[in-house]
Amino acid sequence: MPSNDDRQRITRVPGTRRAKLTPAPGTTAEPVPGDERARDAPGDSAASTAPRGPNDDQLRRDVPPHY
């Protein structure tokens, strides 16, 4: 069983009704090279290399209705 020091904690954000989690053990806030590449060039993501279906172009042109 992990000790209580190894778990994420919920902390309040002062002056608001919000809360946030502390970082998970073994993680950092530093981006990894794959994250930077996806953020800088969204057209080069893995989704664009997937095989295209017959209605993909239509789905990309369609926009959701605005109510």
Side-chain angles (χ1 to χ4, degrees):
M1 181 168 188
S3 68
N4 287 338
D5 295 335
D6 293 341
R7 297 189 56 172
Q8 285 182 294
R9 301 224 182 268
I10 299 171
T11 58
R12 290 191 67 143
V13 177
T16 67
R17 294 177 54 184
R18 296 191 176 263
K20 65 178 183 174
L21 286 173
T22 57
T27 61
T28 64
E30 300 297 318
V32 295
D35 291 344
E36 291 174 1
R37 184 176 58 243
R39 183 186 67 223
D40 294 340
D44 294 336
S45 67
S48 65
T49 60
R52 296 182 66 142
N55 64 344
D56 283 349
D57 291 330
Q58 177 69 35
L59 290 172
R60 285 186 171 85
R61 283 192 308 266
D62 285 347
V63 294
H66 298 282
Y67 296 100

